[in-house]
Amino acid sequence: MKLTKRTVLITGGSAGIGLAFALKFAELGNEVIVTGRRQPVLDQVKAKHPKLHTIRSDVADSAQIAALAARVKSDFPGLDVLVNNAGISRYRNLKASTADLSELMVEMDVNVGGVLRMTSAFTDMLTANKGTLINISSGLAFVPLPCLPIYCATKAAIHSYTQSLRFQFEDSGVEIIEIMPPAVKTDMTADLSEGDGITLITTDELVKLSFASLRTGALEIHPGQSRQLALMRRVAPDFINRQLWKVSRKLVPVEVGQRG
């Protein structure tokens, strides 16, 4: 992947992994736009990192995505990199019923629906500019962390979707990349502790590993422990699944709980 002189849009770019990628792209001399749901957080990001462009937009809202696409096409016609990063997670007790059935779909709406909506909204720009689409999924696309069952299912869905995108776009000039992070030290993983086979890396380490792979032209990137998860899924699936259940069992709420 060409890493300089690009115009980059990153969803969920106001914190965590998204902001870390945004700052690295900006450091390399690219024009970078980040989106997020919370205007006060975006304002703080803009004040601290004035080179970043910030736009409030929720990937779960089709109307907001349409407005975002119209604005970007007007203000940033050279957009040639889209990073679908926005995501949320919820701890779930699958044995506990819930009266709020619509809430069960929130992770699907953001983590899957957001990627589908954003990709479709910006397909014409990426095609016209021979651009790059990067989907941020997870090493948990390969093996589930059972305390986050729907979250893991969304990442498996994005992995499959990205593979189909790669085939359908193969003659378009659009580069399709998937980055599958391991457990990363962010607010989303605050309740996870290292040990029992889980290693948390920093956002700086994730960016370093990911950009090293991007420079080589890799299309599916497994930084850190994600590579081990992919390997264990093939050679010892029962062992790795049981190990992750052991690690995460204590995080399953007694009643339906949520985070993210």
Side-chain angles (χ1 to χ4, degrees):
M1 176 186 174
K2 180 185 174 185
L3 295 173
T4 59
K5 299 181 180 179
R6 312 290 298 268
T7 302
V8 184
L9 171 62
I10 303 176
T11 65
S14 61
I17 291 172
L19 181 57
F21 273 90
L23 295 177
K24 184 61 178 181
F25 274 116
E27 178 188 313
L28 293 173
N30 300 286
E31 189 165 32
V32 182
I33 310 135
V34 299
T35 70
R37 294 176 296 165
R38 298 169 293 176
Q39 188 61 53
V41 176
L42 290 171
D43 291 343
Q44 292 173 7
V45 169
K46 182 65 177 178
K48 187 173 182 180
H49 309 288
K51 289 186 178 181
L52 298 181
H53 304 280
T54 59
I55 302 176
R56 183 178 179 274
S57 184
D58 184 350
V59 299
D61 187 319
S62 298
Q64 290 189 38
I65 289 179
L68 172 67
R71 179 173 173 181
V72 171
K73 289 172 185 177
S74 173
D75 295 350
F76 305 96
L79 180 85
D80 58 352
V81 179
L82 170 62
V83 182
N84 283 316
N85 166 75
I88 60 173
S89 66
R90 299 284 189 267
Y91 288 131
R92 302 282 182 181
N93 183 335
L94 299 180
K95 294 188 296 182
S97 62
T98 175
D100 186 1
L101 296 179
S102 63
E103 194 278 332
L104 289 173
M105 295 302 295
V106 64
E107 289 155 286
M108 288 290 182
D109 289 340
V110 174
N111 300 0
V112 178
V115 172
L116 271 59
R117 296 181 191 102
M118 286 293 298
T119 299
S120 182
F122 287 90
T123 288
D124 53 350
M125 290 192 77
L126 294 176
T127 301
N129 294 329
K130 303 297 181 182
T132 300
L133 172 66
I134 302 176
N135 287 334
I136 308 295
S137 61
S138 171
L140 297 176
F142 295 126
V143 291
L145 190 66
C147 62
L148 299 171
I150 299 177
Y151 172 83
C152 295
T154 66
K155 296 306 182 178
I158 293 306
H159 176 53
S160 177
Y161 173 68
T162 304
Q163 291 176 308
S164 294
L165 281 174
R166 196 172 291 125
F167 282 116
Q168 292 202 19
F169 276 83
E170 63 184 358
D171 297 321
S172 69
V174 177
E175 187 177 32
I176 308 293
I177 297 172
E178 181 179 8
I179 300 177
M180 312 181 80
V184 180
K185 293 178 182 178
T186 66
D187 290 343
M188 190 177 288
T189 60
D191 295 323
L192 286 177
S193 57
E194 297 195 69
D196 294 321
I198 287 185
T199 301
L200 297 171
I201 67 172
T202 66
T203 54
D204 287 344
E205 290 173 312
L206 174 64
V207 167
K208 180 180 179 180
L209 292 170
S210 298
F211 273 76
S213 292
L214 289 171
R215 290 187 179 93
T216 70
L219 297 180
E220 188 173 300
I221 298 172
H222 310 117
Q225 200 172 39
S226 286
R227 187 172 301 279
Q228 295 171 272
L229 293 176
L231 175 63
M232 292 298 291
R233 184 270 313 260
R234 293 195 299 271
V235 302
D238 291 340
F239 170 79
I240 190 60
N241 287 340
R242 179 60 59 181
Q243 190 70 11
L244 290 177
W245 174 227
K246 176 183 176 182
V247 170
S248 68
R249 192 167 190 161
K250 61 182 179 292
L251 296 175
V252 176
V254 175
E255 296 181 356
V256 176
Q258 56 184 283
R259 67 190 287 266

